[in-house]
Amino acid sequence: MKKAALAASILLALAFVGCKPKVGGKCNIDGKEACKDKTTAFVCHDSKWEEMTCRGAKGCTTVGSESDCDQTVAKLNDVCNLADDYTCSDDKKASLECKSNKWTLDEACLGPKGCTSTAHKVDCDTSLSKEGDKCTRENNHACGLDKKSHLVCKGGKFTLVENCRGEKACREVGDKIDCDDSLANVGEPCDTADNHACAVDGKAVLKCNGSKWSVDDACKGRKVCKVTGTEVGCQ
């Protein structure tokens, strides 16, 4: 009886070892996680095990038969397990979205606060952005990285609204973007109809017509265009 019991125990142990997850091995419960080590988990996707990196502070933990992979931070293209979930990149410069079991770029977070996450909520500071960068919040405003341009999210990309050539450049004031467009060049884009600015060379007063700056008044003789408070004119 003892020999039989020992043999049964050995068979059970071997069976358990045989059931341990391995990459490409068969699995039955989609989304099931099992820790491989402290920073890596196996996850069941499409009936096959694949590895998933757990870059969060808790790593991979197991309680009873349940494992949990901390992905409060991740890298672009890392494997993920919760569709439409969001997290921050490990350098805090991007928010990521889980799509088709891969972390994909949601938005670049180039503002001073970067990407922060608390209690499954991700905040992405896009107050500084690059023209052409992907964006997900239509009509969201930002300053260019050099703080000399005003951008807005249109059709999923940050596009140039106007240049901010004035002394105050582009800055965030409260929760709004303020662009000093008191200096401009003819033909450049503008944002506020009938707004006035000085030409960069000081030789003309410009007016915003049809979203472009055009000459409204040429400064003759020794006069140059100056901005005094809210007034723009040849002096």
Side-chain angles (χ1 to χ4, degrees), residues 154-192:
K154 292 289 185 184
K157 289 187 180 295
F158 275 111
T159 59
L160 178 66
V161 175
E162 57 185 340
N163 292 301
C164 311
R165 300 186 185 278
E167 183 179 355
K168 295 178 182 178
C170 187
R171 57 183 181 161
E172 188 177 20
V173 180
D175 60 352
K176 294 184 178 181
I177 296 298
D178 179 69
C179 176
D180 183 351
D181 59 358
S182 57
L183 295 177
N185 288 315
V186 173
E188 287 183 342
C190 56
D191 187 43
T192 307

Side-chain angles (χ1 to χ4, degrees), residues 87-106:
T87 194
C88 292
S89 62
D90 58 347
D91 62 3
K92 306 296 184 183
K93 292 182 179 180
S95 62
L96 307 177
E97 182 180 5
C98 184
K99 288 186 175 181
S100 301
N101 300 325
K102 294 284 186 183
W103 287 113
T104 62
L105 178 65
D106 176 50

